[in-house]
Amino acid sequence: MSETSPPPAASPADSEVERPLRRLARMYAESRVALFGLALLLVIVLAALLAPWLAPQNPYDLMQLDMLDGRLPPGSASGDGRLTYLLGTDEQGRDMLSAILYGLRISVGVGVVATLMALAIGMALGLAAGYFGGRFDAVLMRIADIQLSFPSILVAMILLALFGQGIDKIVIALVAAQWAYYARTTRSAALVEGRKEYIEAARLLGLSTPRILFRHLLPNCLPPLIVVAALQVAAAIALEATLSFLGLGLPVTEPSLGLLIANGFQYLYSGRYWISVFPGVALLLLILAINLVADQLRDVLNPRLQSQ
Amino acid sequence: MNAQREPTLVVGRLTTRFAGLGGAVTAVDEVSFNVAPGEVLGLVGESGSGKSMTGFSILGLVDPPGEITGGSIRLKGRELRGLPAREWRALRGDRIAMIFQDPMMTLNPVLRIDTQMIETVRAHRRVSRDAAREMARDALARVGIPSPDERLRAYPHQLSGGMRQRVAIAIALLNAPDLIIADEPTTALDVTIQAQILFEMQTLCRESGTALIWITHDLAVVAGLADRVCVMYAGRIVEQGSTAQVLETPAHPYTRGLLDSTPAANVQPDKAGRPQPLRQIPGMAPSLKELPAGCAFRPRCTRASTLCEQTPPEVELARGHVARCFHPLSAAEGLKS
Amino acid sequence: MSAPQPARTAALQEAPAQAPANGSTIAPLLELKAIRKTFGAQPDWVERLGQRLGWLQPAAMVQALDGVDLSIARGEVVGLVGESGCGKSTLGRIAVGLHAPSSGRRLWRGTDLDALPEAERRRAGLGIQMIFQDPYASLNPRLRVRDLLAEAPRVHGLIDRTQQAEFVAALLRQVGLDPAVADRFPHQFSGGQRARIGIARALAVKPEFLVCDEAVAALDVSIQAQVLNLFMRLREELGLTYLFISHDLGVVRHLSDRVAIMYLGRIVESAPSAEIFSRPAHPYTQGLLAEAPTLKVEKKRFLAIQGELPSPLAPPRGCHFHPRCPHAFERCRLEAPYLQEIAPGHVSACHLNGA
Ligand SMILES: Nc1ncnc2c1ncn2[C@@H]1O[C@H](COP(=O)(O)OP(=O)(O)OP(=O)(O)O)[C@@H](O)[C@H]1O
Ligand SMILES: Nc1ncnc2c1ncn2[C@@H]1O[C@H](COP(=O)(O)OP(=O)(O)OP(=O)(O)O)[C@@H](O)[C@H]1O
Ligand code: SF4
Ligand code: SF4
Ligand SMILES: [Mg+2]
Ligand SMILES: [Mg+2]
């Protein structure tokens, strides 16, 4: 008898050679709430990216502002009648809708850039710590422990107090406050995956260490990282908003959502809610959308659910 | 062995199905067998053939989406199928006990051995703690645990794997059940430890008249232990008979194939010193989701004919020796070449 | 913890390379000499100080291998048998170079691999590959079969891009798979098919020596037979040498030319396969053979070896087997027996030898 197993090509299970990514997409789409979250997120991000084209006015261009239009309630027409302030104006006569769109742009940009940088740094350190272990691992994890035992807002505030304001400074502060989450997550994933036999097989096949780390180990550590990153983007955005609200974050010339909320805060009691509430709602929706997406990603990437 | 022979357990056309996304799956398909008091029944088959599900069905432990959809399970004449959950629970650990591959399925890691054993006794009968402890001590001694008094005070993690499995067996024995179902309890253990446990189980059943169903994928374990053997394939029992009948004159082509593919320690390699290739069953076990019509073994069977596209009948080849096959091997063909 | 150890291995080490312990006259392909391996954290200076002052217990050290010699000739299939935890996998991992021994040397065709510079060792190391036990964990789930098989040969320049498809197809055919599966991911295969892919991956770098660590243990009997037959066919076709680690005596007997029996970190007996199964000399081997389940239908009294495997954290002094040995006597408790040749190619470590 030939030992060749019969060519398995014809069985029905094979006809759908489903790529892992497509399978994930299908599983993601099983939840309506998650699809809604994803749609909302896409709308918000698109609006933020396209702010210069979507916004009725450029809120930073002082020439376009009219002090006489200050503090108009939502739906008012501008003094010169050329546009309607759908969400009202602030005390400088700035269109809130435009300010929010531009503010979103900054918030999302800062959040994403900070997350990507923190991810890259934390991932590289965590991967090395998990794979090589030893003293490097011990030292790195002690540092991460210490840092994680302080609230991230405190870490960021101290750094900003040292550096001063500026969009680059706040990105650095956010990265410093968050890299440890990624380092921890990557390390624990790398510890688990690194013990698996396919890594040993790669070593025996004489593959170089960077190749093993980045082509074999890293892709298999990604699922938990993606979830953490998704949640941390929301955290980064919220942190930036908080810092800006406290006046520690971005300068007034680059008003992010947090600063907008802070600016309008003083008018809340005088009934001019829109200056503060609308940026707040925008921030809330953004964070909600990210969390919905992150939750579903966590379920989809959960290996126990995945194997069925 | 003993002639009284009112079977402890009678399973008739037991069927267990799982409703699933891709259609229902029949994990246990019209399975019938009896076990007499003191008898050891070996239930063998490859991974996924439904051995464990058969055991779980008898214990009433099939969780949704699984469901027993047909047949009967009679323990000492009492029908168990359709019993309310509360009565099942009262039976388990008392009249029927189960031993799992992983003893930690039975043992609670944070409780001392004595606490667990005393609770097991007192859950089913009204005895004093001291009497229960005495019974626990006896049970440990019976499974060959040295210095049982000390072991009673240990926590599970303080014991070796073989010792833990023996404690799990002792717990199963506590209430002198009528039936024990052992699901691959020695698969994770060493040959030397496995041998000790097999020996102990054998004596215990013979002495106490407990019926034992021993689930395993290892024909060699069954050869030394069981009185009767059932061979399962894709949810069905394809052959059953006394151990000698099934292992020495197998009638079903699948059983023959299994025996041939076992590199048995008692078979000499050929004269040239080079081992002969094992005779192997081509192909692989089918997924229950896409079983071929008729005999499930058909795609891998060398004797298959067009007849085999029908469901094969049970053929009695000798007293108590039954195979589900259109073209069973004759006793002469079944003999080892 | 070290028992008095006379030159246990002297008999083996003094023998010239042409006449290794297995009695064959072919130069060994791989030679392991006096391999020891202990696991356990090395104490740092605080702990060392604490221990010196008697405040801290020394950390528990697992003595996984305790002076193992093994030499394997080209074309030979050596089976390695023993109870769980006796150090089989550790020895296999040292043989392929996944673990570094705590002491002892590993000679590949007479040269000490671990003394070579990194790049050379990596290249020479390709000749020794391992087949793993777990058909699931041993394949990178994110790579297609094509990449699993072709990556290493591409990196090492054994093939170039244009040859890749042909190369992968040939490998798949060699292990009995349809070349059309090259585009699939590991999760789309059954256990037996994955085992074949793992074998193909090892074969891709043209190894001469395969260490198979329980390579068929996770497979069903009918699939096991297919894979064992594949191993034997590859041996014929490619002239491969194997170290075949298994706790299944049937499997080992079926494949091996020579069998080495391990007990608690030491090789206690080694002999040609037929010899060890017909005339086991060491009491442990005798017990093991008596207790291995066979297909013979007979009610057995399984009783030959009593007691449980002692912990490698605190191996017994003297002969490691003495607490369970039916023949143990005073000397066994004090002095470790060393391997002695008791018949051509048959060595055993027991004080009863020659007595
Ligand atoms: N919860 C479930 N949902 C759907 N199918 C199930 C479920 N549990 C078990 N099955 C199916 O029932 C069949 C029998 O499983 P079972 O566990 O009885 O096999 P087994 O013979 O014990 O195998 P093994 O030797 O691997 O333990 C399997 O094919 C499995 O796919
Ligand atoms: N990385 C490690 N760290 C600490 N101890 C280890 C490590 N690897 C193995 N050991 C110990 O070394 C001893 C030998 O282990 P090894 O895995 O070689 O046994 P084995 O003979 O292969 O057993 P099995 O049959 O269970 O696979 C065991 O006691 C084990 O606990
Ligand atoms: S019924 Fe037919 S296909 Fe099935 S085992 Fe018998 S001969 Fe083979
Ligand atoms: S040396 Fe002594 S204890 Fe060890 S195997 Fe021989 S007789 Fe037994
Ligand atoms: Mg099972
Ligand atoms: Mg091992």
Side-chain angles (χ1 to χ4, degrees), chain B residues 18 25 27 45-54 65 183-184 215 217 288:
Chain B
F18 283 90
V25 154
E46 291 183 83
S47 182
S49 57
K51 308 180 295 290
S52 299
M53 276 335 295
T54 305
D183 192 354
E184 315 224 14
I215 297 175
H217 63 265
L288 290 183

PDB file of all heavy atoms in Angstrom, chain B residues 18 25 27 45-54 65 183-184 215 217 288, ligand 1:
ATOM      1  N   PHE B  18     -25.012  16.689  18.430  1.00  0.00           N
ATOM      2  CA  PHE B  18     -24.692  18.085  18.691  1.00  0.00           C
ATOM      3  C   PHE B  18     -25.292  18.934  17.594  1.00  0.00           C
ATOM      4  O   PHE B  18     -24.966  18.741  16.420  1.00  0.00           O
ATOM      5  CB  PHE B  18     -23.176  18.301  18.706  1.00  0.00           C
ATOM      6  CG  PHE B  18     -22.525  17.845  19.966  1.00  0.00           C
ATOM      7  CD1 PHE B  18     -22.063  16.545  20.085  1.00  0.00           C
ATOM      8  CD2 PHE B  18     -22.385  18.702  21.032  1.00  0.00           C
ATOM      9  CE1 PHE B  18     -21.483  16.111  21.250  1.00  0.00           C
ATOM     10  CE2 PHE B  18     -21.796  18.279  22.198  1.00  0.00           C
ATOM     11  CZ  PHE B  18     -21.347  16.977  22.310  1.00  0.00           C
ATOM     12  N   VAL B  25     -24.344  17.091  14.306  1.00  0.00           N
ATOM     13  CA  VAL B  25     -23.294  16.092  14.243  1.00  0.00           C
ATOM     14  C   VAL B  25     -23.686  14.964  15.180  1.00  0.00           C
ATOM     15  O   VAL B  25     -24.078  15.215  16.309  1.00  0.00           O
ATOM     16  CB  VAL B  25     -21.963  16.743  14.682  1.00  0.00           C
ATOM     17  CG1 VAL B  25     -21.038  15.702  15.228  1.00  0.00           C
ATOM     18  CG2 VAL B  25     -21.330  17.492  13.538  1.00  0.00           C
ATOM     19  N   ALA B  27     -22.440  12.386  17.393  1.00  0.00           N
ATOM     20  CA  ALA B  27     -21.176  11.977  18.021  1.00  0.00           C
ATOM     21  C   ALA B  27     -21.255  10.544  18.512  1.00  0.00           C
ATOM     22  O   ALA B  27     -20.253   9.840  18.523  1.00  0.00           O
ATOM     23  CB  ALA B  27     -20.840  12.922  19.166  1.00  0.00           C
ATOM     24  N   GLY B  45     -10.841   3.344  20.181  1.00  0.00           N
ATOM     25  CA  GLY B  45     -11.123   4.058  18.947  1.00  0.00           C
ATOM     26  C   GLY B  45     -10.207   5.257  18.865  1.00  0.00           C
ATOM     27  O   GLY B  45      -9.560   5.640  19.835  1.00  0.00           O
ATOM     28  N   GLU B  46     -10.140   5.846  17.657  1.00  0.00           N
ATOM     29  CA  GLU B  46      -9.237   6.962  17.472  1.00  0.00           C
ATOM     30  C   GLU B  46      -9.843   8.238  18.034  1.00  0.00           C
ATOM     31  O   GLU B  46     -11.011   8.282  18.399  1.00  0.00           O
ATOM     32  CB  GLU B  46      -8.915   7.120  15.980  1.00  0.00           C
ATOM     33  CG  GLU B  46      -8.066   5.976  15.481  1.00  0.00           C
ATOM     34  CD  GLU B  46      -7.685   6.166  14.025  1.00  0.00           C
ATOM     35  OE1 GLU B  46      -6.715   6.877  13.791  1.00  0.00           O
ATOM     36  OE2 GLU B  46      -8.362   5.620  13.152  1.00  0.00           O
ATOM     37  N   SER B  47      -9.030   9.291  18.046  1.00  0.00           N
ATOM     38  CA  SER B  47      -9.483  10.573  18.557  1.00  0.00           C
ATOM     39  C   SER B  47     -10.734  11.029  17.802  1.00  0.00           C
ATOM     40  O   SER B  47     -10.778  10.966  16.579  1.00  0.00           O
ATOM     41  CB  SER B  47      -8.351  11.571  18.378  1.00  0.00           C
ATOM     42  OG  SER B  47      -8.713  12.795  18.894  1.00  0.00           O
ATOM     43  N   GLY B  48     -11.729  11.466  18.543  1.00  0.00           N
ATOM     44  CA  GLY B  48     -12.944  11.979  17.912  1.00  0.00           C
ATOM     45  C   GLY B  48     -13.949  10.918  17.529  1.00  0.00           C
ATOM     46  O   GLY B  48     -14.988  11.230  16.951  1.00  0.00           O
ATOM     47  N   SER B  49     -13.671   9.653  17.874  1.00  0.00           N
ATOM     48  CA  SER B  49     -14.595   8.611  17.455  1.00  0.00           C
ATOM     49  C   SER B  49     -15.824   8.533  18.358  1.00  0.00           C
ATOM     50  O   SER B  49     -16.750   7.782  18.074  1.00  0.00           O
ATOM     51  CB  SER B  49     -13.881   7.258  17.428  1.00  0.00           C
ATOM     52  OG  SER B  49     -13.330   6.985  18.696  1.00  0.00           O
ATOM     53  N   GLY B  50     -15.832   9.278  19.467  1.00  0.00           N
ATOM     54  CA  GLY B  50     -17.025   9.318  20.302  1.00  0.00           C
ATOM     55  C   GLY B  50     -16.920   8.520  21.580  1.00  0.00           C
ATOM     56  O   GLY B  50     -17.925   8.316  22.258  1.00  0.00           O
ATOM     57  N   LYS B  51     -15.709   8.108  21.960  1.00  0.00           N
ATOM     58  CA  LYS B  51     -15.540   7.329  23.181  1.00  0.00           C
ATOM     59  C   LYS B  51     -15.949   8.149  24.403  1.00  0.00           C
ATOM     60  O   LYS B  51     -16.770   7.707  25.206  1.00  0.00           O
ATOM     61  CB  LYS B  51     -14.077   6.897  23.338  1.00  0.00           C
ATOM     62  CG  LYS B  51     -13.496   6.210  22.126  1.00  0.00           C
ATOM     63  CD  LYS B  51     -12.050   5.819  22.359  1.00  0.00           C
ATOM     64  CE  LYS B  51     -11.100   6.983  22.556  1.00  0.00           C
ATOM     65  NZ  LYS B  51     -10.850   7.788  21.355  1.00  0.00           N
ATOM     66  N   SER B  52     -15.390   9.338  24.519  1.00  0.00           N
ATOM     67  CA  SER B  52     -15.700  10.145  25.699  1.00  0.00           C
ATOM     68  C   SER B  52     -17.167  10.536  25.713  1.00  0.00           C
ATOM     69  O   SER B  52     -17.799  10.532  26.773  1.00  0.00           O
ATOM     70  CB  SER B  52     -14.844  11.412  25.716  1.00  0.00           C
ATOM     71  OG  SER B  52     -13.497  11.092  25.773  1.00  0.00           O
ATOM     72  N   MET B  53     -17.727  10.853  24.547  1.00  0.00           N
ATOM     73  CA  MET B  53     -19.135  11.254  24.505  1.00  0.00           C
ATOM     74  C   MET B  53     -20.020  10.103  24.954  1.00  0.00           C
ATOM     75  O   MET B  53     -21.041  10.334  25.603  1.00  0.00           O
ATOM     76  CB  MET B  53     -19.532  11.687  23.092  1.00  0.00           C
ATOM     77  CG  MET B  53     -19.239  13.127  22.696  1.00  0.00           C
ATOM     78  SD  MET B  53     -19.131  14.331  24.006  1.00  0.00           S
ATOM     79  CE  MET B  53     -20.772  14.317  24.608  1.00  0.00           C
ATOM     80  N   THR B  54     -19.649   8.880  24.628  1.00  0.00           N
ATOM     81  CA  THR B  54     -20.417   7.735  25.105  1.00  0.00           C
ATOM     82  C   THR B  54     -20.397   7.718  26.630  1.00  0.00           C
ATOM     83  O   THR B  54     -21.438   7.571  27.280  1.00  0.00           O
ATOM     84  CB  THR B  54     -19.815   6.429  24.552  1.00  0.00           C
ATOM     85  OG1 THR B  54     -19.756   6.524  23.134  1.00  0.00           O
ATOM     86  CG2 THR B  54     -20.653   5.236  24.943  1.00  0.00           C
ATOM     87  N   PRO B  65     -24.713  22.415  23.203  1.00  0.00           N
ATOM     88  CA  PRO B  65     -25.752  22.022  22.258  1.00  0.00           C
ATOM     89  C   PRO B  65     -25.888  20.513  22.068  1.00  0.00           C
ATOM     90  O   PRO B  65     -26.637  20.083  21.195  1.00  0.00           O
ATOM     91  CB  PRO B  65     -25.284  22.679  20.966  1.00  0.00           C
ATOM     92  CG  PRO B  65     -23.794  22.668  21.088  1.00  0.00           C
ATOM     93  CD  PRO B  65     -23.513  22.901  22.526  1.00  0.00           C
ATOM     94  N   ASP B 183     -11.967   7.336  31.712  1.00  0.00           N
ATOM     95  CA  ASP B 183     -11.662   7.911  30.400  1.00  0.00           C
ATOM     96  C   ASP B 183     -10.162   8.158  30.279  1.00  0.00           C
ATOM     97  O   ASP B 183      -9.653   9.159  30.765  1.00  0.00           O
ATOM     98  CB  ASP B 183     -12.451   9.210  30.213  1.00  0.00           C
ATOM     99  CG  ASP B 183     -12.418   9.693  28.773  1.00  0.00           C
ATOM    100  OD1 ASP B 183     -11.700   9.081  27.958  1.00  0.00           O
ATOM    101  OD2 ASP B 183     -13.092  10.684  28.465  1.00  0.00           O
ATOM    102  N   GLU B 184      -9.450   7.269  29.656  1.00  0.00           N
ATOM    103  CA  GLU B 184      -8.004   7.369  29.431  1.00  0.00           C
ATOM    104  C   GLU B 184      -7.239   7.771  30.691  1.00  0.00           C
ATOM    105  O   GLU B 184      -6.420   8.677  30.650  1.00  0.00           O
ATOM    106  CB  GLU B 184      -7.695   8.388  28.323  1.00  0.00           C
ATOM    107  CG  GLU B 184      -8.604   8.232  27.134  1.00  0.00           C
ATOM    108  CD  GLU B 184      -7.871   8.305  25.817  1.00  0.00           C
ATOM    109  OE1 GLU B 184      -6.629   8.210  25.826  1.00  0.00           O
ATOM    110  OE2 GLU B 184      -8.541   8.425  24.790  1.00  0.00           O
ATOM    111  N   ILE B 215     -11.980   3.491  28.796  1.00  0.00           N
ATOM    112  CA  ILE B 215     -11.883   4.160  27.499  1.00  0.00           C
ATOM    113  C   ILE B 215     -10.414   4.402  27.178  1.00  0.00           C
ATOM    114  O   ILE B 215      -9.679   4.922  28.029  1.00  0.00           O
ATOM    115  CB  ILE B 215     -12.639   5.496  27.541  1.00  0.00           C
ATOM    116  CG1 ILE B 215     -14.126   5.244  27.789  1.00  0.00           C
ATOM    117  CG2 ILE B 215     -12.422   6.282  26.261  1.00  0.00           C
ATOM    118  CD1 ILE B 215     -14.933   6.505  27.959  1.00  0.00           C
ATOM    119  N   HIS B 217      -7.308   4.740  23.652  1.00  0.00           N
ATOM    120  CA  HIS B 217      -7.041   4.570  22.226  1.00  0.00           C
ATOM    121  C   HIS B 217      -5.978   3.493  22.022  1.00  0.00           C
ATOM    122  O   HIS B 217      -5.555   3.242  20.917  1.00  0.00           O
ATOM    123  CB  HIS B 217      -6.596   5.898  21.613  1.00  0.00           C
ATOM    124  CG  HIS B 217      -5.313   6.402  22.201  1.00  0.00           C
ATOM    125  ND1 HIS B 217      -5.282   7.311  23.233  1.00  0.00           N
ATOM    126  CD2 HIS B 217      -4.038   6.079  21.941  1.00  0.00           C
ATOM    127  CE1 HIS B 217      -4.042   7.527  23.576  1.00  0.00           C
ATOM    128  NE2 HIS B 217      -3.254   6.798  22.811  1.00  0.00           N
ATOM    129  N   LEU B 288     -16.868  14.303  11.378  1.00  0.00           N
ATOM    130  CA  LEU B 288     -18.253  13.868  11.572  1.00  0.00           C
ATOM    131  C   LEU B 288     -19.212  14.706  10.735  1.00  0.00           C
ATOM    132  O   LEU B 288     -20.335  14.318  10.479  1.00  0.00           O
ATOM    133  CB  LEU B 288     -18.637  13.978  13.047  1.00  0.00           C
ATOM    134  CG  LEU B 288     -17.964  12.985  13.986  1.00  0.00           C
ATOM    135  CD1 LEU B 288     -18.486  13.160  15.391  1.00  0.00           C
ATOM    136  CD2 LEU B 288     -18.184  11.561  13.509  1.00  0.00           C
TER     137      LEU B 288
HETATM  138  N1  LIG D   1     -19.438  20.599  22.268  1.00  0.00           N
HETATM  139  C1  LIG D   1     -19.375  19.948  21.098  1.00  0.00           C
HETATM  140  N2  LIG D   1     -19.904  20.477  19.974  1.00  0.00           N
HETATM  141  C2  LIG D   1     -19.862  19.808  18.790  1.00  0.00           C
HETATM  142  N3  LIG D   1     -19.277  18.616  18.640  1.00  0.00           N
HETATM  143  C3  LIG D   1     -18.722  18.037  19.717  1.00  0.00           C
HETATM  144  C4  LIG D   1     -18.725  18.670  20.999  1.00  0.00           C
HETATM  145  N4  LIG D   1     -18.086  17.858  21.872  1.00  0.00           N
HETATM  146  C5  LIG D   1     -17.696  16.779  21.166  1.00  0.00           C
HETATM  147  N5  LIG D   1     -18.084  16.879  19.879  1.00  0.00           N
HETATM  148  C6  LIG D   1     -17.830  15.912  18.822  1.00  0.00           C
HETATM  149  O1  LIG D   1     -18.098  14.641  19.286  1.00  0.00           O
HETATM  150  C7  LIG D   1     -17.186  13.721  18.724  1.00  0.00           C
HETATM  151  C8  LIG D   1     -16.756  12.709  19.739  1.00  0.00           C
HETATM  152  O2  LIG D   1     -15.925  13.332  20.684  1.00  0.00           O
HETATM  153  P1  LIG D   1     -15.267  12.525  21.874  1.00  0.00           P
HETATM  154  O3  LIG D   1     -14.709  13.515  22.824  1.00  0.00           O
HETATM  155  O4  LIG D   1     -16.252  11.546  22.403  1.00  0.00           O
HETATM  156  O5  LIG D   1     -14.113  11.748  21.141  1.00  0.00           O
HETATM  157  P2  LIG D   1     -13.107  10.717  21.779  1.00  0.00           P
HETATM  158  O6  LIG D   1     -13.331   9.449  21.079  1.00  0.00           O
HETATM  159  O7  LIG D   1     -13.215  10.735  23.259  1.00  0.00           O
HETATM  160  O8  LIG D   1     -11.729  11.305  21.310  1.00  0.00           O
HETATM  161  P3  LIG D   1     -10.355  11.519  22.123  1.00  0.00           P
HETATM  162  O9  LIG D   1      -9.608  10.249  21.985  1.00  0.00           O
HETATM  163  O10 LIG D   1      -9.704  12.617  21.350  1.00  0.00           O
HETATM  164  O11 LIG D   1     -10.709  11.878  23.529  1.00  0.00           O
HETATM  165  C9  LIG D   1     -16.021  14.517  18.169  1.00  0.00           C
HETATM  166  O12 LIG D   1     -15.897  14.291  16.796  1.00  0.00           O
HETATM  167  C10 LIG D   1     -16.370  15.949  18.444  1.00  0.00           C
HETATM  168  O13 LIG D   1     -16.181  16.689  17.260  1.00  0.00           O
END
